Amino acid sequence: MTTENAIGSAPGTGANQVFNRPAAVTRSLLGYGPLAGACYLASGLAQALTRDGFDLRRHDLSLLANGPLGWIHILTLMLTGLITVASAIGVFRALPRGRATTWAASLLAAYGLALVAAGVFVADPMNGFPVGTPDGPPTEVTPHGVLHIAAGGVGFAALVAAAFVLARFFARTSRRGWAWASLGAGLVVLAGFLGVATGSASSLAVLGLWIGVVTGWGWIAAVCIHLYRRTPHPRQPSDPAA
């Protein structure tokens, strides 16, 4: 057996194969979609359950960026944001070229960049966290706190818009299940963000935000997995007649 045949044949089949590098890159980038949500939620929950004074019923995860261990959540936001941008590039490569593809990928990338910005500009302490902070709204609104809120608003808006754009795309391509799922995910994320955007710190508003955040990450993961499965495997049998 020659070296060429050994490299170009599938184990146990003997069939020649051709390596599709663009497909391999696309599938690799799409794999970051589920990783982004898993990274954010696992890190956030681990911190929320171990940081003194943090209450999942009253505090959103952004507040974890404060205090001596705040660097952990800052790093989580920035890393998750960059991973999300990578998955957005995968979505762009996996979908057929067109305005919907460009908009959907750009909006997902904007969501990722907003997460990075939210890590750079830390939320103001409030509602008793970190320990020693007075209860209620921030005692002092800082430029960093304002920019953090702005980044959050832009990020959630971009994620909702991306879900709506893909909902329309899926509807036009006769994938109604994905269309309804994307529309529903967008509405849940929007409702969760609006609940806390009103300034409410009630347990119901925080719960709504949690539901919105988990739904958003779940939708990104599901879309990336769906497109991953539709992207050709990088190793395909070569055409014997070629």
Side-chain angles (χ1 to χ4, degrees):
M1 179 182 294
T2 65
T3 303
E4 180 180 359
N5 287 337
I7 295 175
S9 45
T13 64
N16 291 333
Q17 292 183 331
V18 175
F19 183 70
N20 186 338
R21 186 174 298 278
V25 172
T26 299
R27 286 164 67 100
S28 178
L29 290 169
L30 289 171
Y32 284 110
L35 179 62
C39 173
Y40 181 87
L41 294 174
S43 175
L45 284 173
Q47 295 175 75
L49 295 174
T50 56
R51 293 280 301 273
D52 289 340
F54 192 89
D55 187 345
L56 285 168
R57 298 167 298 179
R58 300 181 60 236
H59 303 134
D60 62 72
L61 292 183
S62 294
L63 295 178
L64 289 169
N66 292 284
L69 296 177
W71 65 269
I72 299 176
H73 193 62
I74 292 173
L75 182 61
T76 298
L77 285 168
M78 298 180 71
L79 179 61
T80 301
L82 294 176
I83 294 174
T84 302
V85 172
S87 70
I89 297 173
V91 169
F92 179 79
R93 293 170 61 97
L95 290 173
R97 294 294 177 265
R99 285 188 299 176
T101 296
T102 301
W103 272 106
S106 297
L107 289 165
L108 283 174
Y111 175 57
L113 293 175
L115 287 170
V116 174
V120 173
F121 303 109
V122 178
D124 290 325
M126 61 184 294
N127 293 332
F129 188 85
V131 175
T133 301
D135 202 11
T139 55
E140 179 186 1
V141 179
T142 66
H144 267 233
V146 172
L147 290 173
H148 179 87
I149 294 174
V154 170
F156 275 108
L159 179 57
V160 170
F164 289 165
V165 168
L166 282 184
R168 184 178 181 185
F169 169 80
F170 286 134
R172 292 178 61 184
T173 54
S174 300
R175 280 172 273 181
R176 299 191 180 278
W178 281 101
W180 283 111
S182 297
L183 177 62
L187 291 174
V188 171
V189 174
L190 178 61
F193 175 72
L194 291 178
V196 296
T198 59
S200 174
S202 67
S203 297
L204 184 60
V206 174
L207 175 61
L209 179 62
W210 264 105
I211 294 174
V213 168
V214 173
T215 299
W217 285 123
W219 175 76
I220 291 175
V223 168
C224 286
I225 292 172
H226 171 67
L227 295 178
Y228 179 95
R229 291 174 174 172
R230 292 176 63 89
T231 301
H233 194 280
R235 292 196 180 276
Q236 296 289 348
S238 61
D239 185 355

